[in-house]
């Protein structure tokens, strides 16, 4: 285990949530067409990810209901980012914290959880893409054994989508170039971010197309779970989302993990912006849809975190070469080729984040 010191943001009861930067990247589409993809960079949140928003909302919801008081134990199943944020906030608020992870959870994420004082339990991998079931059974076993344990339940708590409707999506709408986006792409895991963004956009930017992005082998949007040898943490799920409804998206994009990783590599090489796997998936899906539809010129992508803590995105196994990963569909290969022409824009229409 590496020596990871608690970050300063763990010293207060709140996560000190803030508006995050919206960075435009220009993508040439051929034939003189271009699209501008706006990256909402949630790695600038405390604890390094969008899950700072979720963790604070989950804890606030339970405290308001009277279910939490200092000394009690918070329990959650996590693939990494939520666990880091919960561990830090629980340390600040006086709760014990037990986090259930799986073998694919990045070691650096586990190090940060334990540095904040959390107990981390790793379940065994379950064939067929159903390891999340083992994580949830471990949560239920702790609840049976410990009457003082409280489950934040990111999978069902209404606080999860609500914070993304009132904060994440509201910021996107506020910062939209000339007051509009043609589309927004959001990758799914629990589906809370997608559901919250969709509710806000349907109300405030109803003409924007919503692209839900899931992994091949994920069940989050109703597919059949399957083994994913190159599984990206935080992208897809072995269980159906309890939040996402048909009204929450206009298009569903199913992408392989390795293709999403290849998109991360191209964005990093061409723009210097580091994206985690789910963000790379959103960018790739946005590029595919922009290439299909000339009406899509201004597209937003929710980027939950950066790529530094993921070995598969930094050790050369990221599809970083000029070609597409083996087995990529022709449309995906074409979109990855388009990303080779990506360039950041130095000036844009959005004021600095607050």
């Amino acid at each position: 285990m590496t020596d990871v010191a608690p970050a300063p943001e763990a010293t207060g009861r709140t996560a000190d949530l803030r508006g995050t930067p919206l960075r435009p990247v220009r993508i040439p589409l051929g034939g003189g067409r271009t699209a501008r993809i706006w990256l909402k960079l949630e790695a600038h949140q405390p604890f390094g990810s969008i899950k700072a928003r979720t963790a604070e909302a989950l804890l606030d919801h339970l405290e308001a209901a009277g279910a939490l008081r200092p000394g009690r134990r918070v329990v959650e199943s996590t693939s990494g980012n939520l666990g880091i944020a919960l561990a830090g906030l629980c340390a600040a608020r006086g709760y014990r914290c037990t986090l259930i992870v799986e073998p694919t959870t990045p070691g650096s994420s586990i190090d940060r959880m334990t540095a904040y004082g959390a107990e981390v339990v790793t379940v065994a991998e379950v064939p067929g893409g159903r390891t999340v079931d083992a994580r949830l059974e471990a949560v239920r076993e702790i609840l049976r054994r410990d009457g003082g344990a409280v489950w934040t339940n990111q999978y069902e708590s209404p606080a999860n989508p609500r914070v993304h409707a009132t904060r994440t999506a509201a910021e996107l709408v506020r910062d939209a170039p000339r007051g509009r986006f043609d589309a927004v792409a959001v990758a799914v895991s629990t589906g809370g971010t997608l559901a919250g963004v969709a509710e806000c956009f349907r109300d405030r930017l109803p003409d924007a197309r919503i692209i839900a992005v899931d992994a091949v082998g994920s069940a989050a949007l109703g597919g059949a779970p399957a083994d994913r040898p190159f599984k990206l943490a935080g992208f897809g799920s072995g269980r159906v989302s309890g939040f996402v409804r048909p009204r929450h998206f206009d298009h569903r994009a199913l992408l392989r993990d390795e293709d999403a990783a290849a998109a991360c590599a191209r964005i990093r090489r061409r723009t210097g912006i580091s994206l985690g796997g789910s963000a790379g998936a959103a960018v790739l899906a946005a590029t595919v849809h922009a290439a299909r539809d000339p009406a899509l010129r201004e597209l937003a992508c929710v980027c939950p975190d950066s790529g530094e803590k993921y070995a598969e995105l930094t050790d050369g196994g990221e599809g970083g070469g000029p070609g597409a990963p083996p087995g990529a569909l022709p449309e995906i290969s074409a979109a990855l080729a388009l990303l080779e022409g990506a360039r950041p824009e130095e000036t844009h229409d959005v004021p600095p984040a607050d």
Side-chain angles (χ1 to χ4, degrees):
M1 179 182 299
T2 59
D3 183 16
V4 181
E9 65 264 14
T11 61
R13 282 182 54 82
T14 70
D16 189 25
L17 298 177
R18 59 194 68 136
T20 48
L22 196 56
R23 299 278 169 78
V25 174
R26 183 73 66 176
I27 310 293
L29 301 175
R33 286 203 301 128
T34 66
R36 196 160 49 164
I37 296 181
W38 297 79
L39 308 179
K40 186 161 181 60
L41 300 177
E42 290 290 300
H44 289 257
Q45 289 292 359
F47 307 106
S49 83
I50 197 170
K51 293 298 188 177
R53 300 182 190 265
T54 310
E56 185 170 272
L58 293 172
L59 292 175
D60 287 350
H61 177 72
L62 289 173
E63 288 176 345
L68 272 176
R69 59 180 180 271
R72 299 201 76 172
R73 184 206 301 246
V74 167
V75 184
E76 187 55 279
S77 156
T78 174
S79 62
N81 283 331
L82 181 66
I84 294 170
L86 279 175
L89 285 173
C90 284
R93 297 188 185 196
Y95 306 128
R96 292 176 295 152
C97 184
T98 299
L99 301 165
I100 313 301
V101 304
E102 58 188 75
T104 58
T105 302
S108 60
S109 297
I110 294 174
D111 289 346
R112 288 197 68 186
M113 296 175 206
T114 57
Y116 288 127
E119 175 191 18
V120 178
V121 177
T122 304
V123 301
E125 193 76 29
V126 177
R130 295 186 177 276
T131 307
V132 68
D133 292 340
R135 283 164 34 192
L136 293 174
E137 179 53 36
V139 168
R140 288 187 284 267
E141 178 58 29
I142 291 170
L143 296 176
R144 286 192 288 265
R145 294 196 322 258
D146 183 352
V150 180
W151 184 17
T152 43
N153 196 355
Q154 63 166 321
Y155 307 92
E156 297 179 357
S157 173
N160 183 348
R162 184 166 58 236
V163 73
H164 298 298
T166 60
R167 296 294 301 270
T168 312
E171 291 166 19
L172 271 172
V173 171
R174 178 197 67 194
D175 295 341
R178 294 176 296 279
R180 60 181 282 271
F181 285 115
D182 300 311
V184 58
V186 185
V188 296
S189 182
T190 66
T193 304
L194 173 63
V197 169
E199 291 292 342
C200 179
F201 268 61
R202 293 304 194 211
D203 180 50
R204 298 176 61 183
L205 292 180
D207 293 334
R209 309 296 285 172
I210 299 173
I211 305 167
V213 189
D214 200 4
V216 173
S218 164
L221 295 180
D227 290 322
R228 295 161 57 192
F230 191 77
K231 183 179 179 181
L232 295 172
F235 179 39
S237 176
R239 71 197 303 266
V240 176
S241 169
F243 301 119
V244 178
R245 302 292 180 264
R247 70 177 185 276
H248 289 144
F249 59 94
D250 302 293
H251 309 287
R252 182 179 71 158
L254 290 177
L255 301 177
R256 300 187 310 164
D257 294 87
E258 51 265 56
D259 295 330
C264 293
R266 283 150 180 78
I267 290 295
R268 186 167 191 161
R269 184 169 61 247
R270 299 298 300 174
T271 71
I273 299 172
S274 173
L275 299 178
S278 59
V283 169
L284 183 55
T287 304
V288 167
H289 282 273
R292 286 179 186 171
D293 186 351
L296 303 184
R297 301 179 62 185
E298 304 280 2
L299 303 93
C301 289
V302 176
C303 300
D305 66 352
S306 62
E308 283 80 4
K309 61 180 170 289
Y310 304 112
E312 63 270 30
L313 299 178
T314 58
D315 66 0
E318 62 201 323
L329 295 173
E331 190 173 40
I332 298 300
S333 297
L336 289 170
L338 293 174
L339 288 175
E340 290 289 353
R343 67 180 190 276
E345 290 197 348
E346 297 301 325
T347 60
H348 52 85
D349 306 306
V350 176
D354 57 21

